[in-house]
């Protein structure tokens, strides 16, 4: 019973933390991979830094994805 209560508290705490600006700022680069569900892509760009902002396939007519992420902190490298 205690484990079930702790699990519910953990889920609630995670939901609160994930809705904060701090979380979005820290994990914004990785979030796009957690929700990514597009297949049969024509092009994918990888990289870091400028690649994050250089490519946007939204209105281009190309089925592509920008998988570039910005510079990572030590927390990202550890995880």
């Amino acid at each position: 019973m205690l484990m079930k209560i702790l699990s519910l508290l953990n889920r609630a705490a995670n939901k609160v933390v994930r809705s904060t600006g701090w979380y979005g700022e820290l994990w914004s680069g990785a979030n796009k991979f957690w929700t990514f569900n597009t297949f049969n892509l024509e092009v994918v760009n990888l990289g870091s830094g400028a690649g994050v902002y250089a490519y946007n396939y939204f209105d281009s007519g190309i089925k592509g994805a920008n998988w570039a992420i910005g510079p990572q902190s030590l927390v990202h490298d550890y995880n």
Side-chain angles (χ1 to χ4, degrees):
M1 183 68 168
L2 178 62
M3 293 303 290
K4 188 171 185 175
I5 292 171
L6 290 175
S7 176
L8 290 172
L9 288 173
N10 186 33
R11 286 184 191 156
N14 279 336
K15 188 174 183 179
V16 170
V17 169
R18 288 181 178 165
S19 68
T20 63
W22 168 81
Y23 182 86
E25 180 75 22
L26 183 64
W27 293 103
S28 62
N31 282 338
K32 62 183 165 186
F33 296 109
W34 295 332
T35 59
F36 185 75
N37 61 1
T38 303
F39 302 97
N40 299 322
L41 297 172
E42 297 171 6
V43 64
V44 172
N45 70 285
L46 305 172
S48 63
V52 174
Y53 308 105
Y55 302 99
N56 183 357
Y57 301 104
F58 183 66
D59 287 329
S60 67
I62 299 172
K63 191 169 183 182
N66 183 348
W67 289 355
I69 57 174
Q72 296 180 4
S73 68
L74 291 176
V75 173
H76 288 87
D77 289 341
Y78 177 76
N79 288 327

